[in-house]
Amino acid sequence: MRGTLQDIHATGTSRMRAEAGFRTWCSWMMHSRPEPMKTLARRIRRHWRDILAYFDHRCTNAIPEGLNGIIRHIKTRARGLRNMDCFSTMIHLTCGKPDLATVTI
């Protein structure tokens, strides 16, 4: 089941081909026994347009989501910071990857 879904993603060169593969896969999952697979098929159907939009544009929001996770981690570490300026500085130092070797004092 998982392998078939991975094949749809790997071989889906066009939206129409991916849509046909997802329709077949979702139908198979809804007629299967494992409840988690049925739940996944329902979730795919609920986000149908967004998933198929990937095959049109080939872009995702993975980078912004990754940065958001890093910023949330900074927020949990920054409980003792005094103000938003310190928080902003921590975000820039962590996400910006500055070259501190070129800084002179």
Side-chain angles (χ1 to χ4, degrees):
M1 294 177 183
R2 185 184 65 138
T4 305
L5 189 59
Q6 288 174 334
D7 289 343
I8 293 169
H9 178 264
T11 61
T13 55
S14 69
R15 181 186 177 108
M16 289 175 40
R17 188 170 178 173
E19 187 171 1
F22 278 124
R23 282 192 195 282
T24 304
W25 188 86
C26 284
S27 175
W28 178 33
M29 290 307 104
M30 293 307 289
H31 292 94
S32 69
R33 232 170 239 257
E35 192 57 39
M37 297 310 280
K38 290 181 181 182
T39 304
L40 178 61
R42 285 186 206 104
R43 186 170 292 147
I44 287 175
R45 286 180 176 171
R46 207 171 31 240
H47 298 284
W48 191 258
R49 289 185 327 186
D50 299 330
I51 291 170
L52 291 177
Y54 168 78
F55 293 95
D56 289 337
H57 307 292
R58 294 288 179 180
C59 63
T60 65
N61 65 344
I63 293 173
E65 287 294 331
L67 287 174
N68 190 26
I70 292 170
I71 291 171
R72 265 193 259 127
H73 182 68
I74 293 168
K75 186 177 177 183
T76 58
R77 286 188 340 199
R79 297 264 187 241
L81 295 178
R82 293 185 212 118
N83 55 27
M84 279 303 287
D85 290 335
C86 294
F87 181 57
S88 175
T89 303
M90 283 299 295
I91 291 172
H92 289 298
L93 286 173
T94 306
C95 296
K97 304 289 187 215
D99 183 15
L100 297 177
T102 59
V103 177
T104 58
I105 297 177

